[in-house]
Amino acid sequence: KLLKKFRYMVKIKKIDIISYIKRKFKYLKNTKITKKSDLLGENILDSLELMELISDLEKNNKFDIKKYNKKNNHFKIETLEKYCK
């Protein structure tokens, strides 16, 4: 179990956000997610799961939600990737 938790703490690469979401939320394994997918708008993730994803991005990728929210009011994969360092 410790190894599984450690795997989620590894820095997420920009191109790996989709696979990270599918690994973290197992029920999305067979769901089609593209770079243009809106995570909330298409009901892929609910608000609690989205906040969990954002907190992981903030911890591991220097993602700044305040900067993101100033310019974006949706949560698409491609815009999330732009703000991950």
Side-chain angles (χ1 to χ4, degrees):
K1 276 191 166 182
L2 184 61
L3 184 60
K4 270 188 169 180
K5 286 189 177 191
F6 178 73
R7 188 175 72 192
Y8 291 127
M9 299 305 287
V10 176
K11 185 174 180 178
I12 306 163
K13 296 177 185 176
K14 287 185 179 184
I15 57 170
D16 261 359
I17 290 181
I18 293 173
S19 62
Y20 178 77
I21 290 171
K22 289 186 177 190
R23 276 195 323 258
K24 185 157 181 77
F25 306 105
K26 300 285 186 197
Y27 69 93
L28 293 174
K29 189 175 182 179
N30 296 325
T31 305
K32 183 179 178 185
I33 302 174
T34 64
K35 290 191 179 278
K36 300 220 183 247
S37 295
D38 185 358
L39 297 175
L40 274 179
E42 296 176 19
N43 295 324
I44 296 171
L45 296 177
D46 65 14
S47 58
L48 219 64
E49 293 167 338
L50 183 64
M51 290 311 298
E52 189 177 337
L53 174 67
I54 288 173
S55 73
D56 286 349
L57 291 175
E58 286 179 328
K59 288 177 190 173
N60 301 323
N61 288 55
K62 299 179 183 175
F63 179 77
D64 189 7
I65 189 66
K66 290 180 183 178
K67 286 182 183 177
Y68 184 84
N69 272 342
K70 284 182 182 178
K71 295 186 178 185
N72 300 294
N73 58 356
H74 51 71
F75 291 95
K76 291 188 177 182
I77 302 288
E78 63 185 352
T79 54
L80 286 173
E81 287 176 345
K82 288 178 188 176
Y83 284 85
C84 287
K85 296 177 183 176

